[in-house]
């Protein structure tokens, strides 16, 4: 889907181009940002929520261009994804190249998720920045879950998180900023030490009580809104059974169709996804063995107010967000702009 820029946007592209020429020798230099430098120049939780809201609003109003991510799969349990996007309202244009190796922490002592993000000058297409994308991914993913939760279930008093790694910890940090009436958070991980680590990492930052659930069923029984950030596999694990869920709950997974019984999506009164094209792509790759449930709308349409989302307290809603690159590019552009302004990073020959 191509997007034709407005006159105001074209003028903004020219202004940005002129600014970049004052900072870099375009075509001969790029700004290189390490993960530590991305964090230094990057937005905090509140700023990230604002940036991702802007990105999803653009997505919901179709003010973007973003083909479905493509990938390669050297092993059955891993993936590499190329994720381009163009968001003119944010002067953001580029691509993220990201890999996920669930075995890395145990087998090699390396992160599960790594990657790079490249930004381009919209006026000329010249690459202007290369930066770490793992931290960006870790920040934007829980931001989208939290914004979706606020749009679909703003009065929720309980939230449950399956998976207590980097993403699970991020979700706990973000959800307290989005659900203003939250009274309790339940967490569950197959490794008890991961739950302890999560609680320790957010201590002093999250004042809402955090409860370690003894089982997945206990978490489901006690929570109005739930999310999951676990492993991504083609064959569903069906850890959460369809018999456990009930009317009035909101389920916002980040791990495709892996953790939940696929029948839950079909039981839902509304099945919402961040990108129809990307979910259909994954369906063709075998990640939804029984096929996708009928899709109601996209997450950005709810956040932008284009679609009403929840219209009845008793609706069971599933909102599947597998990660879309409009969010990455808007985050990357914000980090790049601040890094240039503050002199963070290294200018390297192109």
């Amino acid at each position: 889907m191509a997007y034709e820029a407005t006159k105001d946007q074209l003028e903004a592209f020219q202004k940005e181009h002129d600014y970049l020429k004052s900072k870099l020798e375009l075509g001969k230099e790029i700004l290189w940002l390490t993960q530590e430098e991305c964090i230094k120049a990057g937005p905090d939780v509140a700023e990230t929520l604002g940036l991702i809201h802007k990105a999803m609003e653009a997505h919901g109003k179709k003010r973007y261009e973003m083909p479905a991510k493509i990938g390669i799969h050297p092993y059955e349990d891993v993936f590499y994804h190329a994720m381009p996007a163009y968001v003119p309202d944010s002067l953001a244009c580029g691509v993220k190249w990201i890999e996920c190796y669930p075995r890395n922490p145990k087998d090699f002592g390396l992160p599960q998720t790594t990657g790079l993000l490249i930004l381009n000058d919209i006026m000329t297409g010249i690459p202007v920045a290369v930066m770490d994308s793992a931290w960006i991914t870790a920040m934007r993913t829980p931001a989208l879950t939290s914004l979706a939760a606020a749009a679909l279930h703003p009065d929720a008093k309980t939230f449950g998180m399956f998976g207590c790694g980097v993403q699970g910890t991020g979700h706990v940090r973000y959800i307290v900023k989005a659900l203003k009436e939250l009274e309790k958070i339940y967490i569950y991980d197959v490794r008890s030490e991961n739950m302890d680590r999560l609680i320790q990492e957010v201590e002093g930052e999250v004042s809402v009580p955090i409860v370690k659930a003894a089982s997945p069923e206990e978490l489901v029984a006690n929570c109005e809104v739930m999310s999951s950030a676990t492993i991504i596999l083609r064959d569903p694990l069906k850890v959460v059974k369809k018999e456990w869920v009930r009317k009035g709950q909101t389920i916002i997974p980040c791990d495709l169709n892996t953790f939940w019984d696929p029948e839950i999506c079909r039981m839902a009164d509304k099945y919402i996804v961040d990108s129809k094209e990307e979910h259909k792509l994954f369906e063709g790759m075998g990640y939804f063995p029984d096929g996708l449930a009928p899709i109601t709308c996209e997450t950005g349409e709810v956040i932008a107010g284009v679609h009403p989302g929840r219209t009845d307290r008793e609706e069971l809603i599933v909102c599947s967000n597998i990660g879309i690159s409009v969010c990455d590019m808007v985050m990357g552009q914000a980090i790049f702009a601040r890094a240039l302004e503050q002199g963070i990073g290294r200018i390297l020959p192109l």
Side-chain angles (χ1 to χ4, degrees), residues 132-208:
D132 167 75
S133 67
W135 183 76
I136 292 172
T137 302
M139 289 288 280
R140 61 84 154 140
T141 305
L144 180 50
T145 295
S146 300
L147 290 170
L152 294 167
H153 212 134
D155 59 347
K157 293 180 170 56
T158 52
F159 172 77
M161 186 70 216
F162 289 110
C164 296
V166 171
Q167 288 292 353
T169 303
H171 276 72
V172 171
R173 282 196 169 106
Y174 276 81
I175 201 69
V176 294
K177 304 287 187 184
L179 295 181
K180 303 301 183 181
E181 297 185 31
L182 202 62
E183 295 178 355
K184 191 174 290 186
I185 296 172
Y186 287 79
I187 60 174
Y188 178 80
D189 195 287
V190 292
R191 295 171 176 259
S192 180
E193 62 268 27
N194 288 350
M195 293 190 278
D196 293 334
R197 187 182 304 114
L198 184 154
I199 292 171
Q200 183 178 8
E201 287 188 20
V202 303
E203 187 178 7
E205 184 179 349
V206 175
S207 58
V208 175

Side-chain angles (χ1 to χ4, degrees), residues 77-135:
D77 62 336
V78 310
F79 62 78
Y80 294 63
H81 284 157
M83 302 172 61
Y86 161 52
V87 190
D89 290 340
S90 296
L91 302 175
C93 178
V95 63
K96 182 173 79 167
W97 177 241
I98 193 161
E99 314 84 45
C100 181
Y101 274 67
R103 70 181 74 156
N104 270 3
K106 181 180 177 181
D107 292 354
F108 300 102
L110 293 171
Q112 173 174 298
T113 302
T114 57
L116 294 173
L117 186 146
I118 301 171
L119 291 174
N120 300 76
D121 170 36
I122 300 177
M123 279 289 295
T124 64
I126 295 296
V128 292
V130 178
M131 67 186 74
D132 167 75
S133 67
W135 183 76

